Amino acid sequence: MEQLTTSLDVLFILLGAILVLFMHAGFAFLEVGTVQHKNQVNALVKIMSDLGVSTVAYFFIGYGMAYGVFLGFNIDGQLTQAMTEKSGYELVKFFFLMTFAAAIPAIVSGGIAERARFYPVLLSTFLIVAFVYPFFEGITWNGNFGIQAWLEEQFGAGFHDFAGSIVVHSVGGWIALAAIIVLGARHNRYDKEGRIKEQHPPSSIPFLALGAWILSVGWFGFNVMSAQAIEGIQGLVAMNSLMAMVGGILAATFVGDKDPGFVHNGPLAGLVAICAGSDVVSPLGALVIGLVAGALFVKTFTWTQKTLKIDDVLGVWPLHGLCGMWGAIAVGIFGSTALGGLGGVSMMSQLIGTGLGILVAFVGGYIVYLFVHKVATLRMDEDEQYQGADLAIHRIHANPPRD
């Protein structure tokens, strides 16, 4: 029975890893559908190459930093042990968590689209996934540096982030904001008075919608399989994910006045927000969390572009950074027994954990992207931006003309 349970755990987390891996196709098509046609190839190649770099960075450095299990260098025979014990559970756990880590550069990619050079971005990806992301991941999910223990001692509960509203999404969104600030806006995006000069509508609504659907479906693996063992699976997590997703759709539909870009990002806003508390809030609480997240995305996307003059192409800071922040704080509200939650949460711990995640992400991301920009130049020049990344970098159109 012990062997059967172990094998089921391996299968369970493997299926989760496959679903989250498939979400990277969603990231790719969401970006392909949103950027201008002359940058579609770049979006596809960038997401795929980022995945490869992320896997290597996390295998050799990041996973060991976060969990103290070094697979890449076989320290004290840890790789050999992982290969031979528990049906390889530690290996598929790495696979599962690697897909989370690789989501960080996939998130950033949408924010810096249409003006970032290729190899400097890959260098940035390696540094982010090897050092910045696992630093906070280890604090939250492995108790590194005693911060979670201190929060529990001081406030009765540690920082609760079941599936990564902060650890993955908000961290990715705030790293993206740092990268956008370092890169600056696209050429001719704003005039001298700061008004939007060139509008860039989505190049393909069908591709954008496809990306949103792939992400939405894969998200149920992202959330439910975060239990990482068959005995920890909860139908509540699946139900809450559904309700938050629906809340995001409805809010984005009505607040965004049927705009297809908002409508298809609405479910993603709700799903980002519910990650943290999907195991402790009630379905009604999840619906409210999703409703707030959908409206928050629509309003802050417009505010970011027009008022703050932050050229975030896919709106990844509002979607992941701010909706993820809301989701973590919402745990302290809707996770309480007074509002139908299961309890065991602390608002102070949620606020401190959220603030720490934002600090690590923004400062760490800014240092990495500024360093890479200084040594390798992140930004494409004006002629390259005008020509488009597809021709300037990859020397091919998304739909080459036939002879």
Side-chain angles (χ1 to χ4, degrees):
M1 287 301 297
E2 182 179 352
Q3 179 60 44
L4 177 61
T5 301
T6 299
S7 298
L8 286 173
D9 286 344
V10 170
L11 178 61
F12 176 72
I13 198 170
L14 175 61
L15 292 174
I18 293 168
L19 281 169
V20 183
L21 179 64
F22 188 50
M23 288 176 70
H24 289 264
F27 283 119
F29 278 100
L30 189 70
E31 184 172 338
V32 166
T34 305
V35 298
Q36 299 173 81
H37 191 271
K38 62 184 180 180
N39 294 300
Q40 288 185 332
V41 172
N42 181 246
L44 292 169
V45 176
K46 192 168 44 171
I47 296 291
M48 183 69 81
S49 299
D50 273 338
L51 176 65
V53 171
S54 297
T55 302
V56 172
Y58 200 63
F59 181 70
F60 284 102
I61 302 172
Y63 189 68
M65 273 194 63
Y67 299 101
V69 179
F70 291 90
L71 300 175
F73 297 103
N74 205 18
I75 297 174
D76 296 328
Q78 290 181 344
L79 177 58
T80 302
Q81 185 177 357
M83 290 165 58
T84 56
E85 292 185 356
K86 297 182 179 180
S87 301
Y89 176 81
E90 193 70 42
L91 298 179
V92 291
K93 179 183 176 183
F94 160 80
F95 180 12
F96 180 65
L97 292 172
M98 179 281 297
T99 60
F100 280 48
I104 302 296
I107 291 168
V108 174
S109 177
I112 63 174
E114 303 196 325
R115 76 270 203 196
R117 295 175 64 221
F118 189 73
Y119 287 115
V121 166
L122 293 188
L123 174 58
S124 303
T125 292
F126 184 91
L127 296 173
I128 290 292
V129 176
F131 301 106
V132 179
Y133 168 74
F135 180 79
F136 186 69
E137 178 191 19
I139 289 174
T140 304
W141 287 341
N142 198 47
N144 293 356
F145 308 111
I147 294 174
Q148 286 283 36
W150 179 81
L151 290 173
E152 188 170 351
E153 180 182 347
Q154 294 295 315
F155 306 111
F159 174 58
H160 188 91
D161 189 358
F162 180 70
S165 285
I166 292 292
V167 176
V168 179
H169 297 287
S170 201
V171 164
W174 285 87
I175 289 174
L177 177 63
I180 292 164
I181 291 172
V182 171
L183 267 174
R186 287 167 288 180
H187 178 58
N188 274 342
R189 175 61 169 164
Y190 300 103
D191 62 20
K192 293 180 179 180
E193 285 73 39
R195 294 170 299 193
I196 294 178
K197 183 177 179 181
E198 289 191 0
Q199 298 286 349
H200 300 297
S203 60
S204 174
I205 297 299
F207 277 155
L208 187 157
L210 176 62
W213 273 108
I214 293 173
L215 283 166
S216 297
V217 172
W219 223 295
F220 287 84
F222 196 101
N223 285 359
V224 175
M225 270 72 167
S226 285
Q228 297 186 25
I230 199 75
E231 66 178 4
I233 191 171
Q234 296 183 58
L236 177 65
V237 175
M239 182 63 176
N240 283 341
S241 300
L242 174 65
M243 295 302 285
M245 180 182 79
V246 169
I249 293 171
L250 294 175
T253 298
F254 291 102
V255 178
D257 192 25
K258 310 179 295 299
D259 180 278
F262 287 143
V263 170
H264 286 93
N265 276 282
L268 310 183
L271 287 162
V272 165
I274 199 58
C275 286
S278 55
D279 63 326
V280 293
V281 306
S282 74
L284 288 175
L287 179 62
V288 175
I289 290 171
L291 286 166
V292 172
L296 178 66
F297 170 72
V298 172
K299 292 298 184 182
T300 55
F301 179 85
T302 304
W303 172 66
T304 298
Q305 300 284 336
K306 293 185 176 180
T307 304
L308 297 185
K309 310 296 186 296
I310 295 173
D311 191 13
D312 181 350
V313 180
L314 268 68
V316 298
W317 179 53
L319 180 65
H320 296 273
L322 298 184
C323 291
M325 183 176 71
W326 154 243
I329 294 171
V331 173
I333 303 170
F334 296 98
S336 65
T337 54
L339 289 177
L342 300 180
V345 296
S346 161
M347 177 57 83
M348 280 304 300
S349 292
Q350 293 307 113
L351 291 172
I352 292 171
T354 298
L356 180 60
I358 291 171
L359 180 66
V360 169
F362 185 77
V363 173
Y366 191 82
I367 290 171
V368 166
Y369 283 97
L370 185 62
F371 166 76
V372 172
H373 191 48
K374 294 294 184 183
V375 301
T377 309
L378 267 171
R379 186 179 173 86
M380 296 165 60
D381 63 36
E382 293 180 6
D383 289 339
E384 289 172 329
Q385 289 185 54
Y386 178 79
Q387 185 181 23
D390 292 359
L391 286 181
I393 296 175
H394 307 287
R395 298 182 296 279
I396 190 170
H397 285 293
N399 303 103
R402 295 183 178 181
D403 294 333

